[in-house]
Amino acid sequence: MSRALYPSICHDTDLTPDDFGDEINECCSEIQEACKGWGTDEKSLIKALARRNGEERAKIAVAYEQMFEKALSKVMDSEVGGDLGTALEFLAYPPHKAE
């Protein structure tokens, strides 16, 4: 018996953000808004990423890069420092890349 370690989306070759739905797009916009301007709204970033499962985070990472032309993991790295920044950076990677 084998177990699936990663969400099925991690094995898909065609990840077209148009099919992800409005909830994923709204989450990407919330992340962008939290990082906009002077300072970062860390609570909003935590709310946007930490409550998502692996499949949703994978979709968010792909959609964010498509919408804003920046890798979400790099945004987390530049916006948030310390242990929280490291945690958010790993949450911004799809599960198979975070490992």
Side-chain angles (χ1 to χ4, degrees), residues 16-78:
T16 307
D18 298 338
D19 298 335
F20 293 165
D22 292 335
E23 184 179 351
I24 298 298
N25 292 338
E26 288 173 18
C27 184
C28 291
S29 296
E30 289 172 14
I31 292 169
Q32 175 69 14
E33 191 64 33
C35 296
K36 202 182 221 183
W38 192 262
T40 302
D41 184 355
E42 294 171 350
K43 287 183 182 181
S44 292
L45 293 178
I46 293 168
K47 182 180 174 187
L49 290 172
R51 63 186 172 115
R52 305 292 178 166
N53 64 34
E55 183 172 342
E56 290 169 327
R57 288 194 317 269
K59 289 178 179 180
I60 290 166
V62 171
Y64 188 91
E65 188 165 0
Q66 180 73 24
M67 290 171 69
F68 301 108
E69 299 178 357
K70 293 180 184 178
L72 182 56
S73 58
K74 295 208 182 281
V75 172
M76 294 300 103
D77 182 45
S78 68

